[in-house]
Amino acid sequence: MSTDQRTEIVLPGVVDPDGLRLRTSPVPAPGAGQVVIRMEATGVSFAEQQMRRGRYYDQPPFPFVPGYDLVGIVDAVGADVDPALTGRRVAALTKVGGWASHVVVDAADVVPVPAGLDPAEAETVVVNGITAWQMLHRRARVKAGQTILVHGANGGVGSTLAQLARLAGIRVIGTASARNHDRLRDLGVIPIDYRTDVPAAVREIAPDGVDAVFDHLGVRSVPDSWRLLAPGGTLVAYGSAATLDDTGSKQLPVLKILARVWVWNALPNRRRAYFYNIWAGRGLARQRFRTRLRDDLTQVLQAMADGHITAQIAARFPLARAADALRLAESGTVTGKVILNS
């Protein structure tokens, strides 16, 4: 790959993974306040799986370059950017654009990666780590000694959240398929088979309810999650995975959850519910949003550097094989994040 050429993976519309297109162009120069990152690792998250189907609730119009986050080396800096950033390994949250050999981002949005961390391992906790940290510590504000339920505790967000919770002295109950239960036990999680009667199983472990539930499944799951809360407990919904292959409005599943959240919070029941959106507040309080994001990702990366978070990598593919990577991520046969390397 020529160093003066950028390679990008383009999602042209609602297509099968083989419909992804490869595009090359000159590496762009950074503008004022920007940096160019030479991508070392990006990933296939659930968001890209939704975007491929046109189901991500606020995705841009087709065509576009997917890629929710990345880790890489700063190759060039624009005006008004500290030249010392050049050559530094950084992480960035992008929402789109990460599936490229070179990515232009605002310098204010990059977070230094601690020395010694493998780029692919660090990549597994960018969007997943920010999401997990903010839901646990900023939304639910769970304390040591309390008990939480994490749906999909073997997934990218779920496993990171579980590890952060255990680090904070919190008891974790996690749902997953039976084949992943030994892995959850290794993380200190009490496993429940998601195919069983989950509410009944949770009640056996926590008869008085749990202090927080983290639910990415969607509107059909959140009522059970709400009923499992102890007094003072918090439900954090953060997705609609169960509607991935549905048709119709991509906003409707989220709107249904928001409607339930509004009703529940209006009732005098000593419990709270939230729908978590990682981008909330970006438009109205940009500087506060950036500061919070940098602080939280810094905490997660340091926890990984200190050995408190173990990365789960399912497979690594070169960027040009993005279709194979996406197909594997969607297969449901792997545990951990599928990584794309430049």
Side-chain angles (χ1 to χ4, degrees):
M1 184 186 301
S2 172
T3 57
D4 60 353
Q5 288 290 304
R6 172 172 63 177
T7 301
E8 298 174 296
I9 303 299
V10 178
L11 181 59
V14 178
V15 295
D16 290 334
D18 288 338
L20 293 171
R21 298 174 184 169
L22 189 146
R23 179 174 71 194
T24 60
S25 61
V27 174
Q34 295 181 325
V35 299
V36 175
I37 301 174
R38 174 171 47 84
M39 185 272 288
E40 295 179 296
T42 183
V44 183
S45 67
F46 189 70
E48 283 91 33
Q49 298 174 42
Q50 291 178 303
M51 290 178 186
R52 181 183 74 74
R53 296 163 168 83
R55 299 292 301 169
Y56 190 77
Y57 66 96
D58 65 347
Q59 69 186 71
F62 296 115
F64 62 91
V65 177
Y68 220 93
D69 55 8
L70 75 151
V71 170
I73 302 295
V74 176
D75 256 7
V77 301
D80 304 321
V81 178
D82 184 358
L85 265 180
T86 306
R88 291 289 306 275
R89 176 169 290 132
V90 297
L93 187 70
T94 54
K95 184 185 283 188
V96 295
W99 289 7
S101 62
H102 298 78
V103 182
V104 178
V105 301
D106 289 346
D109 290 330
V110 304
V111 177
V113 174
L117 274 187
D118 176 81
E121 293 186 353
E123 206 287 326
T124 66
V125 295
V126 182
V127 62
N128 291 341
I130 296 167
T131 299
W133 181 276
Q134 293 188 347
M135 290 196 302
L136 183 69
H137 293 300
R138 293 190 181 273
R139 275 302 186 199
R141 299 182 180 180
V142 189
K143 299 179 177 63
Q146 293 187 315
T147 300
I148 65 174
L149 170 64
V150 179
H151 285 285
N154 63 304
V157 173
S159 64
T160 304
L161 198 157
Q163 291 177 83
L164 288 172
R166 294 296 298 136
L167 179 60
I170 297 161
R171 185 170 71 150
V172 181
I173 304 168
T175 69
S177 61
R179 65 186 174 88
N180 290 306
H181 284 191
D182 285 344
R183 163 66 177 162
L184 294 189
R185 292 188 186 97
D186 289 343
L187 298 179
V189 175
I190 304 168
I192 291 176
D193 191 333
Y194 78 92
R195 296 181 180 89
T196 62
D197 184 342
V198 171
V202 173
R203 287 292 184 189
E204 287 187 12
I205 300 167
D208 297 325
V210 295
D211 298 291
V213 182
F214 301 90
D215 191 323
H216 69 301
L217 298 173
V219 70
R220 291 190 287 273
S221 175
V222 291
D224 282 340
S225 294
W226 175 255
R227 287 189 286 269
L228 284 170
L229 291 176
T234 303
L235 166 64
V236 184
Y238 65 102
S240 187
T243 63
L244 177 63
D245 291 314
D246 287 4
T247 58
S249 168
K250 60 178 176 284
Q251 285 85 19
L252 188 58
V254 172
L255 293 175
K256 286 181 177 179
I257 297 172
L258 288 171
R260 288 184 179 272
V261 165
W262 185 88
V263 170
W264 286 329
N265 287 336
L267 299 174
N269 52 45
R270 298 174 58 202
R271 293 174 290 179
R272 299 168 296 161
Y274 298 100
F275 183 81
Y276 172 82
N277 174 10
I278 198 170
W279 301 103
R282 188 184 192 193
L284 297 177
R286 186 67 178 265
Q287 187 55 47
R288 181 184 175 195
F289 172 86
R290 282 172 155 164
T291 299
R292 184 177 62 188
L293 185 149
R294 285 197 305 269
D295 289 349
D296 296 347
L297 181 53
T298 297
Q299 296 263 23
V300 175
L301 289 170
Q302 191 58 53
M304 174 172 273
D306 292 341
H308 300 305
I309 298 176
T310 302
Q312 292 192 83
I313 298 176
R316 307 183 193 215
F317 290 86
L319 183 63
R321 291 184 59 196
D324 293 332
L326 182 55
R327 192 179 299 108
L328 179 63
E330 294 185 356
S331 70
T333 62
V334 295
T335 298
K337 194 162 189 180
V338 177
I339 298 294
L340 292 169
N341 299 119
S342 184

